[in-house]
Amino acid sequence: MSKARRPAQATWSAIGSGLSAWGRANAVPLVVFFASRAWLLLIVAASILLVPTAQNPLEPAQPPTPSPSLSALLVDPWTAWDGAWYRRIAVDGYTNLALDETGQRDTAFFPLYPITVRLVAAVVGDVDLAGLLVSHAALLATLILFYRLVRLHSEPAIAGGAVLLLAFFPFSYFLGAMYSESLFLLAIVCAFTFGEQERWWAAGLAGALAGLTRVTGILIVPGLLLLYLERRQFDLRRCRWDCAWILVALLGPALHAAFLQARFGDAFLFVRSQYVPGWGAGVGLTMALETARSALTGSLGGESILPLMHAVHLLAWCAALAISFLAWGRPRIAYGVWATLMVLASFSLWRSAGRYAVTLFPLFMVGATLISRRRLFPWLLLASALALVVLAVLFAHSIWTG
């Protein structure tokens, strides 16, 4: 063997060993990711073949296709509802034009996800495919980092249980759809992970990215500040100037507000655009009480699935709030307080509580801590997976589920 080949072989051997070690260290989240996404994609694709797909009300009418393409089976089902908004922003940028008489506008959505989709689309040549690649890549990274974050406080069995609960949560199909949930969750998990590592500059930057993805990303600031204090046993004498890095997270929503002010003359347009018919307008305590009364009296029937889904989301909001209190101090007070703030902030949009709950990682941490060793856990996981399939199929057929 020539001497010239030996360094190259040594390099490839080192790369192979490194990848093998990385795969062993991340085996659980990798297996959970591919297992949970592969079967969900296949089941949804099969449902498209077997049952005609309803027309997405946000898209122009399309003539039926006699034989669905591979894209129509594996990509298009995951781009319904808000996916249409993100596609428009990724292709055309923000316009602030009303969709119809409801007044719904693209300025209700934050920019990081559509910007990322646009960048990936420039490589793959298809916006919808780019959206799914971004969502799935963010989900994979999230599961890996989430597993490591839980391992900082718990044993492998609990970390594995937390990853399973997240991946098979009934509304986790949003993490693989053309929605911003997976990217937001990745930014949040990164921020808290960097905080645990005392890399506060990185935690602040990750928090800023969360604030560029969703308006509630700003709540990472009190969460990180509390984590900073908690890691110092709440001794103010141990606080240093590095805690100021946490305030960098405020730059995310501030930059978006500055853009809206410069482009449309209204820095808070993202708030005003949200509270219109079909979104936030009229969704509050009164509607929640009416939904609860209908559920208790058994009057949720009818031709539409909306009343039932409203009841499911209201129940999800109440459950998320209760579990967030249980998460205080399990393992961090900061995690639980952040989750509680997120649940309370989402009440005005409680009709999508299930979708918002999927980004609340402390709920899955405390859930795994409480039940992952119990005999009930496999059955609960199975029930959750079945609900995930049903909701994903409904979503793929343009039926509103959250």
Side-chain angles (χ1 to χ4, degrees):
M1 180 183 299
S2 67
K3 294 182 178 180
R5 290 184 178 179
R6 291 177 182 174
Q9 287 187 343
T11 300
W12 284 112
S13 177
I15 293 174
S17 298
L19 289 174
S20 178
W22 183 86
R24 290 193 298 271
N26 298 291
V28 172
L30 286 172
V31 169
V32 170
F33 170 78
F34 287 107
S36 64
R37 297 307 111 179
W39 76 294
L40 199 57
L41 285 169
L42 292 176
I43 289 177
V44 167
S47 75
I48 299 299
L49 283 173
L50 295 174
V51 182
T53 307
Q55 176 65 39
N56 185 349
L58 296 180
E59 291 293 328
Q62 299 290 338
T65 53
S67 56
S69 64
L70 195 61
S71 176
L73 294 175
L74 298 178
V75 177
D76 295 351
W78 301 97
T79 61
W81 300 103
D82 286 1
W85 287 104
Y86 285 119
R87 182 192 305 112
R88 289 194 185 111
I89 298 171
V91 174
D92 302 321
Y94 287 98
T95 65
N96 195 37
L97 298 176
L99 176 68
D100 50 31
E101 64 277 2
T102 64
Q104 296 178 0
R105 303 167 188 268
D106 53 17
T107 43
F109 298 88
F110 272 55
L112 185 60
Y113 181 76
I115 287 174
T116 308
V117 169
R118 181 166 185 157
L119 293 174
V120 175
V123 177
V124 301
D126 185 273
V127 174
D128 289 347
L129 176 60
L132 266 63
L133 290 176
V134 170
S135 294
H136 281 84
L139 173 58
L140 175 57
T142 296
L143 292 178
I144 292 173
L145 290 176
F146 182 45
Y147 180 82
R148 295 179 182 179
L149 181 60
V150 181
R151 282 289 289 117
L152 293 176
H153 307 282
S154 306
E155 60 188 60
I158 293 178
V163 169
L164 282 169
L165 288 175
L166 173 58
F168 289 96
F169 182 63
F171 291 93
S172 68
Y173 59 90
F174 283 110
L175 296 175
M178 198 169 177
Y179 275 63
S180 63
E181 266 65 22
S182 57
L183 193 61
F184 178 75
L185 180 56
L186 175 60
I188 291 295
V189 172
C190 282
F192 279 110
T193 299
F194 288 137
E196 293 287 4
Q197 297 170 349
E198 296 284 337
R199 297 161 65 185
W200 298 107
W201 63 271
L205 289 175
L209 294 178
L212 276 172
T213 309
R214 295 263 291 275
V215 63
T216 49
I218 198 172
L219 295 178
I220 193 65
V221 174
L224 289 176
L225 287 173
L226 190 55
L227 177 61
Y228 186 94
L229 292 172
E230 191 172 2
R231 289 186 59 83
R232 285 151 184 78
Q233 288 75 52
F234 296 97
D235 185 354
L236 295 179
R237 294 171 299 178
R238 297 175 59 187
C239 296
R240 298 293 181 266
W241 66 269
D242 57 349
C243 66
W245 281 111
I246 295 172
L247 299 180
V248 171
L250 296 174
L251 285 177
L255 287 173
H256 186 49
F259 163 77
L260 293 176
Q261 178 65 40
R263 179 74 182 275
F264 303 110
D266 188 348
F268 297 98
L269 196 55
F270 62 89
V271 177
R272 304 185 220 287
S273 298
Q274 187 65 250
Y275 291 93
V276 296
W279 284 348
V283 182
L285 181 59
T286 301
M287 186 176 182
L289 292 175
E290 291 177 355
T291 300
R293 180 173 54 82
S294 298
L296 292 174
T297 57
S299 55
L300 292 173
E303 296 181 359
S304 174
I305 195 177
L306 282 178
L308 176 60
M309 288 308 306
H310 289 167
V312 169
H313 283 289
L314 182 59
L315 179 61
W317 188 90
C318 295
L321 182 62
I323 297 173
S324 74
F325 287 122
L326 292 177
W328 288 40
R330 294 181 180 179
R332 291 283 193 193
I333 296 175
Y335 296 170
V337 170
W338 171 80
T340 301
L341 291 174
M342 288 286 291
V343 176
L344 293 175
S346 69
F347 180 72
S348 61
L349 299 172
W350 60 263
R351 290 191 307 177
S352 296
R355 171 159 63 94
Y356 297 142
V358 79
T359 64
L360 305 180
F361 73 89
L363 307 189
F364 304 102
M365 294 179 74
V366 70
T369 301
L370 295 176
I371 65 173
S372 63
R373 294 179 178 176
R374 300 181 181 272
R375 294 180 179 179
L376 176 66
F377 182 70
W379 296 104
L380 178 64
L381 197 63
L382 177 61
S384 183
L386 292 176
L388 169 61
V389 169
V390 172
L391 291 173
V393 169
L394 291 175
F395 173 85
H397 288 266
S398 296
I399 299 174
W400 187 88
T401 56

